[in-house]
Amino acid sequence: MNTEFNKTYTYNLFFRLLYSYGNLMVTAILLLYLIPLLGGMTGRMFEYFYAAVLVFLILMFNYWFLRIWKTMPFTITVNDGVITGSDYFFSKKTVAIRVGEIVKLHGGVFDGKTRGMMRVITNDKEIAFFHSIGEGRNLLAYILSQVPRELYDAVLGRLGQKKKDLK
């Protein structure tokens, strides 16, 4: 394997703001629907159901963003076979993963989808990223070219299965 590669990938300002503070906008919009509903409830079953759906959506979006904040670095550096994630939201942590230690590739392209959060997982560490990272295709190509053959074949198998399902 040729591991002589040195590149840094980052998100542009729009996506940094979206992935950092997007939940605030979504929560505010959902609260604009929920607060008046709670103030004017007349006891109909539909109102309780609607309020429960809004609360569930608020919790779901905030859980999803919490997961993004914990696993997605805003800067990913690939240097000599080590993928390093840094610049996490409200954190100075740095996660380094050796390409040979990767045991699972999950989400997005790795699962045969066109979009979604992709996760590179070892036994005890995880780095997640989205397609919107600058030159994300190069990062995907590098990861797929350097992982163990069994993992590469498993990802290609999922891609082939998705294409079969679409036909």
Side-chain angles (χ1 to χ4, degrees):
M1 281 192 249
N2 183 11
T3 57
E4 294 180 23
F5 188 79
N6 187 6
K7 182 114 175 104
T8 299
Y9 302 92
T10 59
Y11 293 92
N12 66 30
L13 180 62
F14 172 76
F15 286 111
R16 285 181 70 96
L17 291 174
L18 178 68
Y19 297 140
S20 297
Y21 303 106
N23 73 316
L24 297 178
M25 183 64 89
V26 171
T27 301
I29 291 170
L30 291 173
L31 283 174
L32 286 174
Y33 286 98
L34 182 64
I35 291 172
L37 175 68
L38 294 177
M41 289 184 97
T42 60
R44 295 186 315 192
M45 188 58 89
F46 173 75
E47 291 173 337
Y48 292 115
F49 176 73
Y50 186 59
V53 168
L54 288 174
V55 168
F56 173 76
L57 288 174
I58 290 170
L59 292 174
M60 183 188 69
F61 276 110
N62 283 292
Y63 173 76
W64 187 65
F65 272 93
L66 181 64
R67 188 168 170 211
I68 287 174
W69 293 341
K70 290 172 73 176
T71 62
M72 190 186 82
F74 290 114
T75 303
I76 296 176
T77 304
V78 178
N79 189 4
D80 295 330
V82 177
I83 302 170
T84 305
S86 59
D87 193 18
Y88 285 83
F89 187 69
F90 283 140
S91 177
K92 300 217 181 281
K93 76 177 181 178
T94 301
V95 176
I97 294 176
R98 298 197 67 65
V99 177
E101 296 174 353
I102 296 173
V103 295
K104 187 174 183 183
L105 298 172
H106 183 68
V109 170
F110 302 138
D111 283 343
K113 301 174 188 169
T114 57
R115 291 277 178 213
M117 182 168 56
M118 293 165 282
R119 299 176 358 198
V120 177
I121 303 168
T122 65
N123 287 330
D124 59 344
K125 299 175 192 168
E126 176 180 350
I127 294 178
F129 61 96
F130 285 94
H131 284 87
S132 53
I133 196 164
E135 297 184 37
R137 288 183 179 210
N138 292 342
L139 179 58
L140 283 171
Y142 176 78
I143 291 170
L144 287 174
S145 70
Q146 298 297 315
V147 295
R149 184 69 181 180
E150 306 83 40
L151 192 55
Y152 177 78
D153 291 339
V155 169
L156 284 183
R158 289 190 297 255
L159 288 174
Q161 183 64 34
K162 269 298 198 198
K163 285 185 180 181
K164 248 194 258 183
D165 292 344
L166 291 174
K167 288 182 180 180

